[in-house]
Amino acid sequence: MTVFKNTYLIMRHGQSEANVADIVVSDPAIGCANYGLSPLGQTQAKASAQAFRDKGIALIVCSDFKRTKETAAIVADELSLQSAVEDIRLRERFFGEWEGQSSSAYENVWAKDLQDSNQSFNGVESTVSVRDRSISLIKELENQYEDKAILLVAHGDILQIMKSAFHDIEPGQHRTLPHHETGEIKLLVSKGDNIHLPL
């Protein structure tokens, strides 16, 4: 069992240009340089930051994709924090051969996830892999910090899969959890909570 020394909040990036274009952008070679926030996404990030201004957020860690970096920068500015720390373990789940296709492809992937948490059809990163890399980051942060409120800024699928570990369900069942909207901040775990994590 893990008794948490810090409080963790999770945020999905604001609406991105990829969301507007209705395409899958999961390849770091594309997503780190392109497809930042839409004007609505910028507004979402600012509004969420203002809503959580009194939560004592002391550190922001984000994916190195353009859409998450821009989101984190807006939040940091609103909360008068230093720039976010980038960590590749918060990157978007890699969707393999679905890259560049319509976002309707997600439904195909999620259906297979339910059947097998290790599935990697069409070169998709398995939910087990996504869960393990995200949880390894949290465990590292637990070793580095204490009594901090830490905001993790990432992507829809990785956040859903990360949450599966805290709800004690298979990572492939991540879509059974409430959907995480663009720009939305949620509590992941509070300091003092005692939870059994994988790894």
Side-chain angles (χ1 to χ4, degrees):
M1 302 293 285
T2 299
V3 179
F4 284 86
K5 297 187 291 185
N6 302 292
T7 293
Y8 294 91
L9 298 143
I10 52 176
M11 180 180 192
R12 185 180 174 192
H13 60 78
Q15 184 193 65
S16 71
E17 293 168 339
N19 295 138
V20 174
D22 190 37
I23 57 172
V24 176
V25 177
S26 66
D27 185 343
I30 299 171
C32 289
N34 302 292
Y35 296 101
L37 294 182
S38 69
L40 174 58
Q42 295 171 14
T43 299
Q44 289 174 333
K46 187 171 184 176
S48 288
Q50 292 172 346
F52 278 76
R53 187 184 298 279
D54 64 345
K55 300 302 181 183
I57 295 170
L59 175 67
I60 303 174
V61 185
C62 69
S63 155
D64 61 347
F65 275 48
K66 187 175 183 181
R67 54 194 185 261
T68 41
K69 289 191 296 184
E70 290 183 355
T71 300
I74 291 170
V75 174
D77 184 62
E78 287 293 319
L79 300 182
S80 300
L81 296 172
Q82 293 184 345
S83 59
V85 176
E86 295 175 24
D87 196 295
I88 63 172
R89 287 171 288 184
L90 289 177
R91 279 179 173 173
E92 175 66 285
R93 179 187 188 184
F94 184 59
F95 283 92
E97 295 178 27
W98 301 110
E99 181 73 21
Q101 297 193 30
S102 165
S103 60
S104 62
Y106 293 133
E107 297 292 340
N108 298 319
V109 177
W110 297 336
K112 291 186 179 298
D113 289 344
L114 275 172
Q115 298 168 6
D116 180 6
S117 294
N118 286 291
Q119 76 91 9
S120 56
F121 179 72
N122 271 6
V124 170
E125 183 182 9
S126 74
T127 59
V128 169
S129 172
V130 174
R131 181 198 63 189
D132 289 353
R133 64 176 163 92
S134 63
I135 296 303
S136 75
L137 169 61
I138 291 174
K139 290 191 171 185
E140 184 175 298
L141 292 170
E142 279 291 286
N143 288 329
Q144 291 179 338
Y145 300 100
E146 189 169 355
D147 297 324
K148 299 280 190 188
I150 301 173
L151 176 65
L152 308 176
V153 183
H155 308 263
D157 252 46
I158 184 172
L159 293 176
Q160 294 285 138
I161 294 167
M162 183 192 299
K163 287 187 293 184
S164 73
F166 291 82
H167 288 267
D168 197 26
I169 61 173
E170 284 294 312
Q173 297 177 320
H174 60 100
R175 296 306 300 180
T176 65
L177 298 172
H179 180 65
H180 204 121
E181 300 292 344
T182 53
E184 185 180 17
I185 297 176
K186 293 181 179 182
L187 175 68
L188 178 66
V189 64
S190 296
K191 176 189 171 185
D193 285 350
N194 194 347
I195 293 175
H196 179 265
L197 287 180
L199 290 182

